[in-house]
Amino acid sequence: MFKKKPTASEVDGVQYRRAKTWQIICYACNALVGMSVYSLIGMASYSASIGYGITTAAVGIILTCTRILDGITDPLLAFVYDRVNTKFGKLRVLLIAGYLIEAVALYAMFTGFSSKGMGLVTFTLLYVVYVIGYTTTNMTAQTIPAIMTNDPRQRPTLGVWTTAFNYLVPMVMSMVLNVVLLPKCGGTYNQAFLTAACNVTLIVAAIGTLLVCLGVSAFDKPETFVGTKKTEPLKMADIVEVLKHNKPLQCYIASNASDKLAQQVGSQAIINTILGGIIIGNIGLGTILTVISMVPSIFFAAFGAKYVGKHGSKKGIVNFTCISMVITAVMIVFFLVIDPKQIGVMGSPAMIIYVILSLLQNSSNMCITTSNTSYMADAIDFELDRSGRYIPAVVSGTYSLVDKLITSFAAVIATGAVALLGYTATMPQPTDPCTPAIFWMAMVLKFGLPIIGWIITLIAMRSCPLTKEEMVNVQKRIAEKKAAAQSEFYKEQLQ
C-alpha cells in the first residue's frame, strides 16, 4: 500500500488554512476584469488620437501623469480598505464599486464622448476616473491570495490558476479584437473598432467581478482581518514604516517593478503593431502564433508551482529569471539572422522556430509570475509577524505606489520611441513599411528592456531574507502570537 503523503501542516508543524479549488478558480477569474481592461486600455493612445485629436507626444505625457496618479491612489486605498466593514463584507463591496467606476469611465472614454468633438481635458478627466476605479478593484484583488491560504504548497497553486487566467484572457481578447473585430471594422484602428472593443471588455469584466465575489464570500468576514495585537486606525506613517522596515517588500519592489516596466512597454498596442504588423508583416497571423505559443506554456505554470512549493518563492523567482534571460537573448539573435517576414508565412521554418522560442519564453515567464504571486502573499505574512498588524492593503498598496511610479513611464517610453521614428501626429498601422530604425526600436523595447529588468531582479533578490525555511518560521511565530493574543483576551474576559 502507498503511504499518504504528509501535508504541509504535518511537515512544518503549523496549522495552515486552505481554500477549496473552486474558490481559487473563482478568484483567478479576476483576470477577466484586470486583463480584459488591460487589453482595452493598451489602446488608450489610439482612443486619444482618433477620438479626441490628441498628438502622440501629448498622449505619452497624459498616460504617464495618470499612471503616477494611479500609484498615489494605491496606498490611499489602504485607508478606505481599513475602514470598510459592512454586512456584505469588505472585499465584495470594494470589488463591485471599483468595477462600476471604471466601467462608466471606460465607456465614456472609448464610446460615449469619443469622436464627439471633445478634447484633451475630457480625455484626461475620464482617464483619472478610470484610474480610481481600477485602483479600487486591483488593490482589493491583490490582498486576496494571502487571505485565502497560507499553506506554502497551496499558495503557488493559486498562482498557477492566476497565471493561467492572466495569460489566457489577454490572448483570447487579442484574438477577438485583432482577428475578429479589427477586420470587420476595416482592418485599421478606428472609432467603430474602439466602440466594439469597449463593449466586449465591459461585459467580460462584469462576469469576472461576479465570479471573484463568489469565490471570496467565505473569507469576507471581520475575523479574517484581525492581527496578533490590538491596533489603532491606519495612519500615513504606517505606510512609511512598512516601506522602511519590510525588507522582503523592498526586494520585491526593485525586482517586480523593473520587470513590469519592461513588460508594459513591450505590451503597448503600438509596439505590438510594429512587431506583428510591420516587422513580421501579418498582424492577424502574428496574433494567432502568439496564442499557439502561449497555450501549451500555461501547463509549465503547474511545474513552477511545484518548484516554488518545494523550494520557496525567492528561489523560484531567481532561477526562472535566469532561464528567461537566456531564452530572450536567443530570441534576439533569431530575429537578427532570419528575415522576419518569413515568420508571417504559415508553415515556414522561421514560423515554427518563432513559435518554439515563444513557447519557451512564455513558459519561463509564467513560472516567474507564479513565484511572484506566492511571494507577495509571503511578504504580507512577514509584515504580520514583524509588526503584529494584518494590513494586506498597506503592503500591496506600498508596493503598487513605487511600482506604478516607475512603470508610469511605460507609455511615454513607447510613444516617445515611436515619435522618434517619425510618428508625431499619427500612430503606426499594420500596413506601414519596415525600416531598420523600426526594427531596432522593436528589438530594444520588446526584448532588450526585459533583460535589463531581470538583471535588476537578480541583484535585488541577493539580499532578500525570505527563504523557504524562514517562511516556515514566520508562520510558526504568527500562530504562537495569535494563540497568545487569544489567551490574553480570555483572561481579560474572566476578570
Side-chain angles (χ1 to χ4, degrees):
M1 293 181 63
F2 292 102
K3 286 186 177 180
K4 183 181 177 182
K5 187 177 180 180
T7 64
S9 295
E10 292 169 340
V11 173
D12 298 336
V14 180
Q15 189 57 50
Y16 293 118
R17 65 180 178 277
R18 292 175 59 86
K20 295 180 174 65
T21 301
W22 71 265
Q23 293 171 324
I24 292 175
I25 295 173
C26 282
Y27 163 70
C29 287
N30 179 62
L32 294 175
V33 187
M35 299 312 296
S36 63
V37 170
Y38 183 75
S39 298
L40 179 66
I41 209 65
M43 295 182 288
S45 54
Y46 283 98
S47 177
S49 175
I50 296 167
Y52 300 85
I54 304 172
T55 64
T56 305
V59 170
I61 294 172
I62 292 170
L63 297 184
T64 297
C65 292
T66 49
R67 180 72 177 177
I68 293 173
L69 172 66
D70 190 10
I72 294 172
T73 57
D74 282 348
L76 295 180
L77 179 70
F79 294 93
V80 178
Y81 188 100
D82 191 51
R83 288 165 172 76
V84 172
N85 291 290
T86 74
K87 64 179 181 179
F88 302 107
K90 178 197 297 281
L91 303 173
R92 288 166 292 178
V93 169
L94 291 171
L95 288 170
I96 293 173
Y99 166 76
L100 292 176
I101 294 171
E102 66 178 344
V104 169
L106 290 171
Y107 182 82
M109 185 193 308
F110 283 87
T111 302
F113 294 149
S114 186
S115 297
K116 300 290 194 304
M118 303 293 182
L120 184 147
V121 174
T122 300
F123 177 83
T124 304
L125 289 176
L126 291 175
Y127 204 99
V128 168
V129 176
Y130 151 72
V131 165
I132 294 172
Y134 170 81
T135 296
T136 305
T137 299
N138 186 56
M139 286 301 305
T140 303
Q142 283 189 26
T143 68
I144 294 175
I147 292 170
M148 294 183 79
T149 177
N150 65 345
D151 188 316
R153 293 182 187 173
Q154 191 177 54
R155 272 186 175 169
T157 302
L158 191 147
V160 171
W161 287 101
T162 303
T163 301
F165 276 78
N166 281 343
Y167 279 89
L168 277 173
V169 171
M171 277 193 303
V172 174
M173 290 296 294
S174 180
M175 291 286 289
V176 171
L177 299 181
N178 292 325
V179 180
V180 179
L181 294 182
L182 189 60
K184 289 184 177 181
C185 297
T188 61
Y189 292 99
N190 52 41
Q191 184 56 55
F193 171 73
L194 294 175
T195 297
C198 179
N199 292 338
V200 170
T201 297
L202 295 185
I203 292 172
V204 171
I207 295 171
T209 300
L210 294 176
L211 289 172
V212 176
C213 289
L214 176 64
V216 302
S217 58
F219 306 93
D220 197 8
K221 46 193 178 183
E223 55 266 34
T224 300
F225 305 93
V226 176
T228 60
K229 66 179 183 181
K230 292 182 179 179
T231 57
E232 299 177 355
L234 195 63
K235 303 184 293 293
M236 184 60 71
D238 295 323
I239 295 176
V240 177
E241 202 267 344
V242 168
L243 182 59
K244 185 177 179 181
H245 296 289
N246 192 316
K247 182 67 174 179
L249 180 61
Q250 294 171 3
C251 296
Y252 186 72
I253 288 172
S255 165
N256 210 36
S258 58
D259 290 353
K260 282 184 68 176
L261 174 60
Q263 177 193 18
Q264 291 190 14
V265 170
S267 64
Q268 293 290 312
I270 50 178
I271 303 303
N272 287 326
T273 298
I274 290 175
L275 183 66
I278 299 177
I279 295 177
I280 294 177
N282 190 335
I283 192 169
L285 180 59
T287 301
I288 294 172
L289 293 180
T290 299
V291 173
I292 292 173
S293 64
M294 187 73 74
V295 173
S297 60
I298 292 175
F299 294 103
F300 282 81
F303 168 76
K306 280 197 168 186
Y307 186 89
V308 171
K310 184 176 181 180
H311 300 284
S313 306
K314 173 187 173 180
K315 197 166 185 179
I317 291 173
V318 170
N319 289 346
F320 291 122
T321 292
C322 292
I323 294 172
S324 290
M325 288 177 65
V326 173
I327 297 170
T328 303
V330 173
M331 181 72 87
I332 295 174
V333 174
F334 170 69
F335 268 90
L336 291 176
V337 300
I338 59 103
D339 175 11
K341 296 291 184 184
Q342 291 300 310
I343 298 174
V345 178
M346 180 63 74
S348 67
M351 188 207 79
I352 295 171
I353 294 173
Y354 176 75
V355 170
I356 293 173
L357 287 175
S358 297
L359 168 62
L360 295 174
Q361 185 182 52
N362 294 332
S363 299
S364 59
N365 287 348
M366 285 184 183
C367 290
I368 294 174
T369 304
T370 300
S371 303
N372 283 335
T373 301
S374 177
Y375 185 99
M376 174 53 81
D378 289 348
I380 290 172
D381 285 346
F382 179 89
E383 181 61 30
L384 173 58
D385 176 43
R386 187 193 70 83
S387 67
R389 304 189 68 173
Y390 192 63
I391 44 177
V394 172
V395 177
S396 57
T398 303
Y399 155 70
S400 290
L401 168 61
V402 182
D403 167 69
K404 289 178 181 176
L405 288 176
I406 295 172
T407 58
S408 62
F409 293 98
V412 78
I413 290 173
T415 55
V418 169
L420 289 175
L421 296 173
Y423 294 96
T424 54
T426 60
M427 291 292 177
Q429 293 290 350
T431 53
D432 294 345
C434 181
T435 65
I438 287 177
F439 174 83
W440 283 108
M441 189 69 75
M443 291 300 101
V444 170
L445 298 184
K446 195 71 176 179
F447 304 122
L449 280 182
I451 291 177
I452 295 174
W454 289 325
I455 291 173
I456 295 173
T457 292
L458 295 179
I459 295 172
M461 284 297 160
R462 289 185 64 182
S463 59
C464 176
L466 214 56
T467 61
K468 162 74 173 175
E469 294 74 24
E470 178 58 20
M471 268 313 299
V472 173
N473 294 331
V474 164
Q475 298 296 353
K476 285 181 178 179
R477 290 194 293 267
I478 290 174
E480 291 169 358
K481 290 174 183 177
K482 283 192 171 184
Q486 190 174 43
S487 176
E488 185 65 27
F489 172 78
Y490 286 138
K491 286 181 181 179
E492 292 177 359
Q493 294 295 108
L494 292 174
Q495 291 177 354

